[in-house]
Amino acid sequence: MKKRASIALSAFAIGGLVALTGCTAGSAPSEGQDKVLKVAYIKTDAFTALDTLFTTTKADFEAANEGVTVELQPIAATDDDYKIKLALSQRSAETAPDIFYEDTTALRADADAGYLLNLDEYVSKWEDWDQFTDAAKEAGKGDDNSIYAVSLGTDTRAVWYSKPVFEAAGIALPWEPKSWDDIMEAARQIKASSPDVVPFNFYAGTGTGEGSNMQGFYQLLYGTELGGDSLYDSETSKWVTGSQGFIDSLAFVDELYTEELALTPAQALDPNIWKSIFGEMFPNATLGATIEGSYTPSFWQTGGSYEWPGYVDDMGATVFPTQNGQNPGGVSMSGGWTLAVGAKTADPQLAFDFMAMALSKDNALAYDNENSQIAVRKDVAADESYIAANPFVRTVTDIVEVTNFRPATADYNQISAEVQKANEAVITDKASPEEAAAAYDKAIEAIVGPEGVIQK
């Protein structure tokens, strides 16, 4: 989860679809009128890179296409709320955008729902398509193996730690934990040496939404015995229940919070806690470590939300270890957002052309550098400025070797919500790890049916 400013869901109910109304995407303009392309995407205090990208592309595209107006429609929302608002906009040609920011986890469901334009014929004629990695191409595929979106970039997760805090606790640097026990040992050591420092932030619960899974629980679950099949069994296409790894992961969370090695539950459930973590705690050396995405330096770089030149010297990054140090030795989660063309657009070729310009080498390079993204274009990855833009780029890129991707199924969002609830029940002492895991199993079976689960 890239952290983004939060807006309560009720605001959407009150505001309706105001931000997405305007020129109809599904009908051609009357004769003599300019063509209008509507572009919907997230823009928050912490995430402005996409707005920069589209503002630049808008100016260049309008200059190259007389009579075309690009209408930018930035939406201030969390990732989850943005997806809800986008889904609501797709119900009508009056509100559906022509081009929009699309999460890979929602892509297959949205393609099945008929919201996304099939891009096969367009990418087949696009010279730049060969520059995209095979993994990036896979990210944009629907269940029918057709392309419905094009990747903007990807990310990995790492443990970001404060060198001053670790040095004060007498922990040797560089820190390279090999197991969950190593994480706990370091956290206890920090607490003993610096009582005013939060040893280890671990996102958990519904407050931070999907981020509490991606930057929290999944780092544990995917590092247990079942590895990449810990949440969803790829061979049978069924959701895993009855897992000892699920219980073990919740037990780790319980231990961390019970020993007060993490934030308080109230802080953890604050959707905006990340602002304190990156804007205050790390710069002031009052936090030992957290799990966060490869984009983390973008918060502190020049132009970022919390400019802090000292991060280059004061921060370290390492891969999160597996439960007992078993192969592959580390674990990460990767996500990624794409650009898609709406199925209701009045001019598919024009909309694709805008998207292609936004994803050109120069634009992709600028976006990846500003947003600390892992490049999905080969020519961008080889560019010297990309390599030099972020002192941690090699570390977070190497973690790709042990990364995992969430199941891109239509019911994933419901499953994700149940994972969050299980974690929240544990950190708030409403359930033991065993009880929370049992409640999770029951909820999952209710969502997908007995035939949709497998006990492992």
Side-chain angles (χ1 to χ4, degrees):
M1 172 191 75
K2 181 86 186 248
K3 299 298 189 300
R4 302 183 176 100
S6 176
I7 286 183
L9 181 57
S10 59
F12 291 120
I14 295 170
L17 299 174
V18 174
L20 291 178
T21 56
C23 178
T24 303
S27 60
S30 301
E31 187 175 352
Q33 287 185 331
D34 289 348
K35 292 183 177 180
V36 176
L37 288 178
K38 296 183 295 182
V39 184
Y41 57 96
I42 293 177
K43 178 189 176 184
T44 68
D45 292 341
F47 182 57
T48 59
L50 200 56
D51 187 65
T52 301
L53 171 66
F54 285 139
T55 299
T56 299
T57 307
K58 166 183 165 69
D60 293 342
F61 195 78
E62 288 177 345
N65 294 271
E66 185 177 355
V68 174
T69 298
V70 177
E71 180 182 307
L72 301 184
Q73 299 179 336
I75 300 171
T78 62
D79 291 349
D80 292 341
D81 288 349
Y82 168 78
K83 284 184 277 189
I84 292 171
K85 192 172 182 72
L86 186 62
L88 290 174
S89 76
Q90 301 285 8
R91 294 179 177 179
S92 167
E94 293 290 333
T95 57
D98 297 278
I99 302 102
F100 50 91
Y101 192 48
E102 174 80 357
D103 192 349
T104 50
T105 61
L107 188 147
R108 295 195 178 194
D110 285 350
D112 290 345
Y115 297 153
L116 312 182
L117 181 72
N118 187 311
L119 300 177
D120 285 349
E121 67 174 287
Y122 301 95
V123 296
S124 67
K125 302 172 186 176
W126 186 25
E127 291 182 359
D128 284 15
W129 189 230
D130 288 340
Q131 288 293 340
F132 287 79
T133 65
D134 290 342
K137 293 177 179 179
E138 286 293 324
K141 286 186 177 180
D143 289 330
D144 60 359
N145 215 36
S146 286
I147 300 295
Y148 286 91
V150 181
S151 179
L152 270 166
T154 190
D155 51 25
T156 54
R157 268 69 188 166
V159 181
W160 297 85
Y161 62 91
S162 169
K163 291 180 181 179
V165 170
F166 274 61
E167 288 173 340
I171 301 171
L173 300 179
W175 184 50
E176 297 177 340
K178 303 300 182 185
S179 67
W180 294 0
D181 286 343
D182 289 347
I183 299 284
M184 296 299 298
E185 181 181 345
R188 292 175 181 133
Q189 201 166 332
I190 291 170
K191 182 178 180 180
S193 66
S194 306
D196 294 331
V197 172
V198 176
F200 197 95
N201 171 62
F202 193 91
Y203 297 108
T206 59
T208 45
E210 177 67 358
S212 68
N213 292 337
M214 291 294 282
Q215 280 85 249
F217 189 74
Y218 289 165
Q219 307 296 316
L220 297 169
L221 184 62
Y222 280 78
T224 58
E225 184 181 353
L226 296 178
D229 284 334
S230 295
L231 182 68
Y232 183 79
D233 184 65
S234 57
E235 185 175 342
T236 62
S237 298
K238 295 183 178 183
W239 296 95
V240 176
T241 58
S243 163
Q244 184 61 45
F246 199 95
I247 295 174
D248 289 350
S249 298
L250 288 176
F252 178 94
V253 177
D254 186 41
E255 189 174 14
L256 199 65
Y257 277 84
T258 298
E259 294 189 28
E260 298 182 348
L261 301 174
L263 296 167
T264 67
Q267 289 173 311
L269 294 175
D270 178 1
N272 293 312
I273 188 59
W274 64 273
K275 294 182 179 180
S276 296
I277 289 170
F278 296 104
E280 301 170 13
M281 299 180 75
F282 273 135
N284 295 327
T286 57
L287 174 63
T290 191
I291 303 168
E292 193 51 87
S294 50
Y295 45 75
T296 292
S298 67
F299 295 132
W300 298 316
Q301 291 170 341
T302 301
S305 301
Y306 307 105
E307 290 188 21
W308 176 39
Y311 86 92
V312 174
D313 298 317
D314 286 358
M315 294 301 298
T318 189
V319 67
F320 193 87
T322 51
Q323 182 174 10
N324 299 305
Q326 74 271 22
N327 288 332
V331 63
S332 175
M333 296 301 300
S334 288
W337 289 71
T338 64
L339 295 186
V341 174
K344 297 180 178 68
T345 185
D347 195 328
Q349 185 63 59
L350 190 69
F352 179 81
D353 290 344
F354 177 87
M355 186 175 75
M357 180 179 284
L359 295 168
S360 68
K361 181 195 173 183
D362 289 345
N363 284 333
L365 176 62
Y367 176 81
D368 289 345
N369 286 348
E370 180 181 350
N371 201 36
S372 295
Q373 285 277 289
I374 294 176
V376 293
R377 284 186 61 122
K378 301 169 190 175
D379 47 5
V380 170
D383 193 279
E384 291 183 3
S385 69
Y386 169 76
I387 297 171
N390 177 354
F392 296 98
V393 68
R394 293 193 184 280
T395 298
V396 297
T397 301
D398 287 345
I399 293 176
V400 169
E401 296 180 7
V402 297
T403 203
N404 300 273
F405 291 85
R406 294 162 290 182
T409 65
D411 45 23
Y412 171 76
N413 288 333
Q414 292 176 275
I415 307 297
S416 170
E418 295 302 328
V419 174
Q420 296 166 38
K421 291 176 185 177
N423 278 264
E424 186 167 320
V426 167
I427 70 170
T428 57
D429 289 329
K430 292 181 179 178
S432 68
E434 291 79 9
E435 291 168 341
Y440 167 82
D441 290 347
K442 184 177 180 180
I444 298 312
E445 187 167 329
I447 292 170
V448 301
E451 69 285 352
V453 300
I454 182 172
Q455 291 212 348
K456 298 182 72 173

